[in-house]
Amino acid sequence: MAGIGSSTYWEDLRKQARQLENELDLKLVSFSKLCTSYSSSRDGRRGDTSDTTPLLNNSTQDRMFDTMSVEIEQLLAKLTAVNDKMAEYTNTPGTASLNSALMHTLQRHRDILQDYTQEFHKTKGNFLAIREREDLLGSVRKDIESYKSGSGVNNRRTELFLKEHEHLRNSDRLMDDTISIAMATKENMTSQRGMLKSIQSRVNTLANRFPTINNLIQRINLRKRRDSLILGTVIGVCTILLLLYAFH
């Protein structure tokens, strides 16, 4: 009697598994058609310039997609639970003589479950990819239409932006040239200062020997300082004028 009861339990589990598998098969076929019709309606809408509307708009298809996804996930969860119960049954005492046949049947149901799961995730992934792509294309089309509707204002703004950009580039080039000139001038003045120091040291040696030459050297030094102040002032004024022109 115990064997009969166990056999009945096993047959009930197999019956539940087959029923769920049939339901999943039908749901997956409908699910695949929904995804295909979604893509087709989007393609038709892009290519059709008439006022006709598809039988199902995209928002309705999105709701149907979400509903069917939940239903299929629930059926997959139920089928997984039935397979787990079948696996537990194969490990119960008294089924050792039938274990090979039971394991074969269980493996077949597991393979079917795996195939349905993979098919569901593949179809769902394709649908989400299509929807994401179409949403992106729709956003781009809206931007293009918006640009066309205000093309006059946008062209004027673009022209102003280009002019401002060119002005900034010219200012950058001018600043680079000014900095290059300043660096070259600094290096030249440093070199000249070294030479002047060398010459001055020699002249000071001669001046210490000849007082008349010393007076002449003092006058030369005063004139040199005056020339340095004038040169520094001219360089400073030129630099300020260049900066004002660059940032004007």
Side-chain angles (χ1 to χ4, degrees), residues 38 51 66 123 138 150 190 210 241:
Y38 183 88
D51 295 333
D66 294 334
T123 304
T190 301
F210 304 98
L241 291 176

PDB file of all heavy atoms in Angstrom, residues 38 51 66 123 138 150 190 210 241:
ATOM      1  N   TYR A  38       6.064  44.329 -30.910  1.00  0.00           N
ATOM      2  CA  TYR A  38       6.556  45.608 -30.371  1.00  0.00           C
ATOM      3  C   TYR A  38       7.599  46.203 -31.306  1.00  0.00           C
ATOM      4  O   TYR A  38       7.546  47.365 -31.669  1.00  0.00           O
ATOM      5  CB  TYR A  38       7.151  45.383 -28.989  1.00  0.00           C
ATOM      6  CG  TYR A  38       7.631  46.641 -28.306  1.00  0.00           C
ATOM      7  CD1 TYR A  38       6.767  47.399 -27.524  1.00  0.00           C
ATOM      8  CD2 TYR A  38       8.948  47.072 -28.428  1.00  0.00           C
ATOM      9  CE1 TYR A  38       7.204  48.544 -26.894  1.00  0.00           C
ATOM     10  CE2 TYR A  38       9.391  48.214 -27.808  1.00  0.00           C
ATOM     11  CZ  TYR A  38       8.516  48.943 -27.036  1.00  0.00           C
ATOM     12  OH  TYR A  38       8.951  50.085 -26.417  1.00  0.00           O
ATOM     13  N   ASP A  51      -1.426  58.920 -40.815  1.00  0.00           N
ATOM     14  CA  ASP A  51      -2.006  59.131 -39.495  1.00  0.00           C
ATOM     15  C   ASP A  51      -2.537  57.849 -38.875  1.00  0.00           C
ATOM     16  O   ASP A  51      -3.189  57.879 -37.831  1.00  0.00           O
ATOM     17  CB  ASP A  51      -3.159  60.159 -39.571  1.00  0.00           C
ATOM     18  CG  ASP A  51      -2.642  61.528 -39.976  1.00  0.00           C
ATOM     19  OD1 ASP A  51      -1.447  61.799 -39.695  1.00  0.00           O
ATOM     20  OD2 ASP A  51      -3.411  62.294 -40.590  1.00  0.00           O
ATOM     21  N   ASP A  66       5.062  43.649 -18.919  1.00  0.00           N
ATOM     22  CA  ASP A  66       5.299  43.526 -17.482  1.00  0.00           C
ATOM     23  C   ASP A  66       4.401  42.448 -16.874  1.00  0.00           C
ATOM     24  O   ASP A  66       4.849  41.641 -16.038  1.00  0.00           O
ATOM     25  CB  ASP A  66       5.029  44.875 -16.795  1.00  0.00           C
ATOM     26  CG  ASP A  66       6.040  45.938 -17.239  1.00  0.00           C
ATOM     27  OD1 ASP A  66       7.159  45.560 -17.639  1.00  0.00           O
ATOM     28  OD2 ASP A  66       5.701  47.134 -17.174  1.00  0.00           O
ATOM     29  N   THR A 123      14.332  36.228 -24.471  1.00  0.00           N
ATOM     30  CA  THR A 123      13.274  37.049 -25.070  1.00  0.00           C
ATOM     31  C   THR A 123      13.101  38.354 -24.302  1.00  0.00           C
ATOM     32  O   THR A 123      12.945  39.429 -24.899  1.00  0.00           O
ATOM     33  CB  THR A 123      11.946  36.274 -25.086  1.00  0.00           C
ATOM     34  OG1 THR A 123      12.123  35.026 -25.763  1.00  0.00           O
ATOM     35  CG2 THR A 123      10.857  37.078 -25.789  1.00  0.00           C
ATOM     36  N   GLY A 138      13.901  57.764 -30.086  1.00  0.00           N
ATOM     37  CA  GLY A 138      12.802  58.716 -29.943  1.00  0.00           C
ATOM     38  C   GLY A 138      13.279  60.028 -29.344  1.00  0.00           C
ATOM     39  O   GLY A 138      12.853  61.113 -29.763  1.00  0.00           O
ATOM     40  N   GLY A 150      13.202  75.538 -34.062  1.00  0.00           N
ATOM     41  CA  GLY A 150      13.830  76.808 -33.685  1.00  0.00           C
ATOM     42  C   GLY A 150      15.165  76.991 -34.369  1.00  0.00           C
ATOM     43  O   GLY A 150      16.128  77.447 -33.758  1.00  0.00           O
ATOM     44  N   THR A 190      69.034  88.173 -18.362  1.00  0.00           N
ATOM     45  CA  THR A 190      69.889  87.464 -17.409  1.00  0.00           C
ATOM     46  C   THR A 190      71.294  87.292 -17.968  1.00  0.00           C
ATOM     47  O   THR A 190      72.296  87.468 -17.261  1.00  0.00           O
ATOM     48  CB  THR A 190      69.279  86.087 -17.095  1.00  0.00           C
ATOM     49  OG1 THR A 190      67.963  86.265 -16.557  1.00  0.00           O
ATOM     50  CG2 THR A 190      70.127  85.341 -16.086  1.00  0.00           C
ATOM     51  N   PHE A 210      92.654 104.549 -11.247  1.00  0.00           N
ATOM     52  CA  PHE A 210      92.644 105.877 -11.877  1.00  0.00           C
ATOM     53  C   PHE A 210      91.391 106.638 -11.415  1.00  0.00           C
ATOM     54  O   PHE A 210      90.276 106.309 -11.834  1.00  0.00           O
ATOM     55  CB  PHE A 210      92.650 105.756 -13.400  1.00  0.00           C
ATOM     56  CG  PHE A 210      93.814 104.938 -13.920  1.00  0.00           C
ATOM     57  CD1 PHE A 210      93.632 103.603 -14.245  1.00  0.00           C
ATOM     58  CD2 PHE A 210      95.073 105.513 -14.055  1.00  0.00           C
ATOM     59  CE1 PHE A 210      94.697 102.857 -14.719  1.00  0.00           C
ATOM     60  CE2 PHE A 210      96.135 104.754 -14.538  1.00  0.00           C
ATOM     61  CZ  PHE A 210      95.967 103.429 -14.871  1.00  0.00           C
ATOM     62  N   LEU A 241      49.276  96.438 -21.783  1.00  0.00           N
ATOM     63  CA  LEU A 241      48.457  96.670 -22.975  1.00  0.00           C
ATOM     64  C   LEU A 241      48.114  95.367 -23.681  1.00  0.00           C
ATOM     65  O   LEU A 241      46.988  95.172 -24.163  1.00  0.00           O
ATOM     66  CB  LEU A 241      49.209  97.610 -23.935  1.00  0.00           C
ATOM     67  CG  LEU A 241      49.375  99.056 -23.459  1.00  0.00           C
ATOM     68  CD1 LEU A 241      50.206  99.852 -24.447  1.00  0.00           C
ATOM     69  CD2 LEU A 241      48.011  99.723 -23.251  1.00  0.00           C
TER      70      LEU A 241
END
